[in-house]
Amino acid sequence: MRNQISIIDSDKTLICLRNAASFISHLARDKNARFMFVNTNLLFDEIVEQMTKKMGIYSPRDNIMWRMGGFLTNSHSPKKFRSRNKKVCFGPIQPPDCVVVLDTERKSSVILEADRLQVPIVALVDSNMPWEIYKKIAYPVPANDSVQFVYLFCNIITKTFLLEKKKLKALKGHIRKEERDLSTKESSKEIQESVQSKNMSNISSRNGEVLVVPYQNLAPASNDIAEIKNLLDKIVVVKFNDSLGTALGFNGPKSLIGIRDGLTSLDLIVNQIQSLNLTYGCHIPLVLMNTIRTHDDSLKALEKYSTSNVDILPLSQGQNTQKKSSSGQSSTDELYPSDHAAAFLSLMKSSGTLDVLLSQGKEYVHVVSSDNVAAAVVDPRIMSHLSQNNIEYCMEVTPTTSYLSKSKMVNQQQGMFELTEIARTLPKDSAEKFKFIDTRSLWVNLKAIRRLVDTNALKIENLSISKEMEGDQMVLQETAAGSTIQLFDKAIGIDVPQSRVVQLNATSDLLLLQSDLYSTSEGILVRNTAQANPANPCIELGPEFEKVSDFQRRFKSIPSIVGLDSLKVAGDVWFGAGVILKGRVSIVAKPGVKLEIPDGAVLENKDINDPSDI
């Protein structure tokens, strides 16, 4: 109360509105659910009528019944009522599953009757609602009952109801199609029951939705070393090594480009697994999925680990990437990213690798992207959550910049998101469309893969990907995230911190990795805590820095960028040793002008176009 005026907290109204919509959504999944809408305010009649018509539960005579007292508790007497206006109407045969009240001030008797029959109530409540009435409402939505808000409230109910009915209809059609397909096959009764059970339980992923759980919501890992060892012993890491460094002017696999401290991304993952094996006494093997063009060079680089405690199994998966160019012609410099999950499942189906891993007691495989050089690849905290909740498939995602700026609480909230809201690679011209980016880091249960193989459900044509004609070679549609998620019963996404997503796609990424913004410890990239901004600086280097060799020549030493917000460099620019960059810095050399940043220069919020600006 302020100056004898009631103030309603709109944030809490929004929370209550979401809870009410969630309850109605849950009820709407039952095709036999009964809804009753109660309104006596003439201003709202048209809104309620349009809502009930769209929902398909409208009856002209209902308007009479809603206006009479004893509409629920009197239904046990003869099924007709006499109102003051001498009108007769038949009452409901069964009580409703939910009563929605739009004007609670005038219909307190309705609430008392619904409470007596233990019927859940969704109602708009104003500040003058008596406490004795208010506490009987299961889902109160505090708000002024203006026409505008009632319209919003009814619109949300209508859309929620229709969306659930659409999902049920789509699911019903899909199940019928699956049943027809099964009837044409000569399969055992056990296999048929298994597949049908899977289809019924996998409603969310069938409808293109996945539950995204924030990393912060996961329970902390146990401090018991023996318990952590038991978890890690169930893991096998699969690192895809299918990307070439030709886009960066590097002749060889991208995983062999020096990241920092003389280590490549391949060195980092081997060192990390080696450290875990030594610390906990566990056995985590590394399966390296090479292509024909990366296999030989990678084998030579791995020779130095021949005496390490890491079992490394390099496999050549063949050329499962397809060349492309911006003009649509073939090019050796740019490749479509392969669908790592689909390629891995294909390997599990067509080789004996699955049986070998299961015989070794392995339960989960962690599939790591070739481009992600991030730290903490194997996280006991994630593994513990998957094991305790029997999760079969988990994709690591991270919020897009636009979505994170709109929702500051995104890292603390969990909920259902459509797969179309998760981008495999984020297109520059449609960043607003997507809420998350798929980091292409996956966790898959090996026993679930075995079930899919045994029931013949693991088929390449079931995946929402493009295919080549020969074998199991596949090319991912660039905007389709989680193409294999539809095959698994319990699938989730985990909103991981940015520290687990460090890509190497350009020399601007190389500048970040080699700067004082990161350091390495036991194969893990550690971010400098002195950088206040949780997001990495935005760095744009011109074509003069495009190749790794040119990048290395133009930097006498990598500048200090802790405290840097953005950097733009273009033209003939050369950096001396010990340069410090802070804030927003733009260095653009004019045509024919050579800019040399002297040793020890400190540039903060500077725009430099010629030597006099330095």
Side-chain angles (χ1 to χ4, degrees):
M1 299 292 293
R2 296 177 186 173
N3 298 327
Q4 297 183 349
I5 298 176
S6 301
I7 307 297
I8 295 177
D9 187 341
S10 59
D11 288 338
K12 293 184 179 179
T13 296
L14 178 59
I15 294 173
C16 294
L17 190 58
R18 285 174 174 168
N19 291 338
S22 177
F23 170 68
I24 291 174
S25 174
H26 177 76
L27 277 184
R29 293 169 193 167
D30 183 359
K31 65 179 181 179
N32 297 320
R34 297 174 297 276
F35 290 84
M36 180 175 288
F37 295 90
V38 181
N39 168 53
T40 57
N41 192 330
L42 296 177
L43 294 175
F44 307 153
D45 277 353
E46 185 177 354
I47 298 175
V48 176
E49 181 178 341
Q50 292 298 323
M51 173 180 62
T52 52
K53 282 183 177 180
K54 286 185 177 181
M55 294 173 63
I57 57 176
Y58 173 78
S59 175
R61 69 180 184 182
D62 291 346
N63 288 335
I64 305 171
M65 184 171 64
W66 292 170
R67 296 175 187 276
M68 297 190 307
F71 74 103
L72 288 176
T73 53
N74 285 353
S75 61
H76 300 289
S77 60
K79 304 299 182 190
K80 58 183 178 179
F81 303 99
R82 185 179 301 277
S83 71
R84 294 179 180 178
N85 297 326
K86 308 288 185 181
K87 293 181 179 179
V88 177
C89 179
F90 289 94
I93 299 176
Q94 294 179 325
D97 297 298
C98 172
V99 174
V100 180
V101 184
L102 301 182
D103 48 350
T104 50
E105 180 183 356
R106 307 183 189 184
K107 296 302 296 181
S108 59
S109 61
V110 172
I111 297 173
L112 293 175
E113 294 176 40
D115 178 66
R116 175 180 171 184
L117 295 179
Q118 296 184 344
V119 177
I121 303 170
V122 176
L124 295 180
V125 296
D126 206 339
S127 56
N128 57 0
M129 167 67 62
W131 170 247
E132 292 300 320
I133 300 297
Y134 174 84
K135 66 182 182 180
K136 300 180 184 300
I137 300 174
Y139 296 93
V141 180
N144 294 324
D145 55 352
S146 64
V147 174
Q148 290 87 348
F149 191 85
V150 170
Y151 176 80
L152 171 65
F153 180 64
C154 293
N155 193 30
I156 290 176
I157 292 177
T158 304
K159 289 187 175 181
T160 300
F161 183 89
L162 294 180
L163 178 62
E164 290 300 330
K165 292 302 180 184
K166 182 179 179 180
K167 290 179 181 179
L168 286 175
K169 185 177 180 181
L171 177 64
K172 185 177 180 181
H174 183 84
I175 293 176
R176 287 180 177 176
K177 181 179 183 299
E178 288 289 327
E179 291 175 348
R180 289 196 300 267
D181 292 342
L182 284 173
S183 64
T184 61
K185 298 177 182 179
E186 296 181 0
S187 55
S188 66
K189 182 178 179 181
E190 291 79 7
I191 292 179
Q192 290 180 357
E193 292 176 351
S194 175
V195 175
Q196 289 173 356
S197 174
K198 171 194 173 299
N199 289 336
M200 290 298 295
S201 63
N202 195 21
I203 294 177
S204 63
S205 61
R206 288 289 186 186
N207 286 283
E209 288 187 342
V210 61
L211 175 67
V212 176
V213 181
Y215 182 83
Q216 292 87 338
N217 289 9
L218 304 183
S222 172
N223 294 325
D224 188 350
I225 294 181
E227 187 175 340
I228 296 180
K229 175 186 180 300
N230 183 49
L231 279 175
L232 297 180
D233 276 333
K234 300 176 182 179
I235 299 176
V236 57
V237 177
V238 173
K239 172 73 173 179
F240 273 80
N241 187 34
D242 54 356
S243 295
L244 296 174
T246 50
L248 287 78
F250 182 78
N251 186 20
K254 188 186 293 185
S255 61
L256 299 185
I257 296 177
I259 300 297
R260 62 174 303 116
D261 304 329
L263 300 175
T264 66
S265 62
L266 187 57
D267 291 326
L268 290 177
I269 191 170
V270 175
N271 289 347
Q272 182 195 152
I273 295 177
Q274 181 175 272
S275 176
L276 288 172
N277 287 343
L278 288 173
T279 303
Y280 297 102
C282 57
H283 176 251
I284 303 176
L286 172 63
V287 178
L288 200 62
M289 300 286 289
N290 302 319
T291 64
I292 295 174
R293 302 177 66 179
T294 63
H295 189 66
D296 294 338
D297 291 335
S298 299
L299 286 181
K300 292 180 181 179
L302 291 172
E303 289 178 355
K304 57 185 176 182
Y305 297 107
S306 58
T307 59
S308 71
N309 66 345
V310 181
D311 288 340
I312 304 175
L313 177 62
L315 299 177
S316 180
Q317 56 178 318
Q319 187 64 39
N320 74 326
T321 52
Q322 179 176 331
K323 304 167 190 176
K324 73 169 185 178
S325 67
S326 57
S327 61
Q329 302 297 323
S330 272
S331 169
T332 58
D333 294 338
E334 193 173 4
L335 297 172
Y336 279 115
S338 62
D339 185 349
H340 293 162
F344 173 74
L345 293 180
S346 175
L347 173 70
M348 293 294 99
K349 179 182 178 183
S350 59
S351 68
T353 308
L354 177 61
D355 294 326
V356 173
L357 296 177
L358 287 173
S359 66
Q360 295 176 351
K362 303 301 179 183
E363 294 184 9
Y364 279 90
V365 58
H366 186 33
V367 185
V368 185
S369 166
S370 56
D371 293 333
N372 193 352
V373 297
V377 175
V378 178
D379 190 332
R381 188 173 178 180
I382 294 179
M383 177 60 193
S384 177
H385 180 80
L386 302 181
S387 179
Q388 291 178 8
N389 295 278
N390 297 318
I391 303 298
E392 294 186 354
Y393 186 98
C394 171
M395 57 192 298
E396 295 186 21
V397 299
T398 188
T400 59
T401 304
S402 59
Y403 183 53
L404 189 59
S405 62
K406 291 178 182 177
S407 179
K408 295 181 179 179
M409 297 294 292
V410 67
N411 289 331
Q412 286 76 38
Q413 295 176 347
Q414 73 178 41
M416 302 297 294
F417 292 86
E418 295 184 5
L419 289 175
T420 54
E421 297 176 328
I422 305 174
R424 175 73 67 173
T425 55
L426 189 61
K428 294 182 180 179
D429 57 346
S430 54
E432 297 292 331
K433 175 182 177 182
F434 299 102
K435 296 182 178 180
F436 292 96
I437 304 173
D438 181 5
T439 66
R440 304 183 73 191
S441 184
L442 306 169
W443 299 75
V444 188
N445 187 288
L446 290 171
K447 293 181 180 179
I449 299 175
R450 164 55 65 194
R451 184 191 72 241
L452 295 174
V453 172
D454 291 344
T455 59
N456 202 29
L458 186 57
K459 291 187 176 182
I460 300 304
E461 57 266 24
N462 287 344
L463 309 181
S464 57
I465 55 176
S466 302
K467 298 176 300 196
E468 293 180 357
M469 295 303 294
E470 297 180 3
D472 291 336
Q473 299 177 3
M474 297 159 292
V475 182
L476 178 70
Q477 296 172 352
E478 292 188 27
T479 58
S483 60
T484 56
I485 198 172
Q486 58 187 317
L487 299 177
F488 296 89
D489 289 347
K490 297 190 69 175
I492 66 170
I494 294 182
D495 177 9
V496 298
Q498 288 286 339
S499 58
R500 289 183 65 84
V501 190
V502 183
Q503 303 286 343
L504 178 56
N505 296 318
T507 52
S508 57
D509 301 322
L510 201 58
L511 176 58
L512 288 171
L513 292 167
Q514 294 185 357
S515 70
D516 57 352
L517 195 61
Y518 287 96
S519 60
T520 58
S521 174
E522 298 179 340
I524 297 176
L525 284 173
V526 181
R527 199 170 188 272
N528 195 333
T529 56
Q531 175 75 355
N533 191 343
N536 282 336
C538 179
I539 297 180
E540 180 182 349
L541 299 181
E544 295 80 9
F545 294 80
E546 186 175 21
K547 296 182 178 180
V548 174
S549 57
D550 294 334
F551 171 85
Q552 294 172 341
R553 285 191 304 111
R554 290 180 176 272
F555 287 99
K556 189 181 292 186
S557 71
I558 301 299
S560 170
I561 62 173
V562 174
L564 178 69
D565 295 324
S566 66
L567 171 66
K568 179 179 181 180
V569 182
D572 190 11
V573 181
W574 299 77
F575 288 83
V579 176
I580 300 176
L581 305 175
K582 294 183 178 181
R584 299 180 179 273
V585 179
S586 175
I587 308 174
V588 180
K590 297 178 181 178
V593 177
K594 181 179 181 180
L595 285 179
E596 295 184 2
I597 309 300
D599 296 347
V602 179
L603 305 179
E604 183 173 1
N605 297 320
K606 280 278 192 178
D607 289 329
I608 298 175
N609 300 109
D610 57 60
S612 62
D613 295 332
I614 301 177

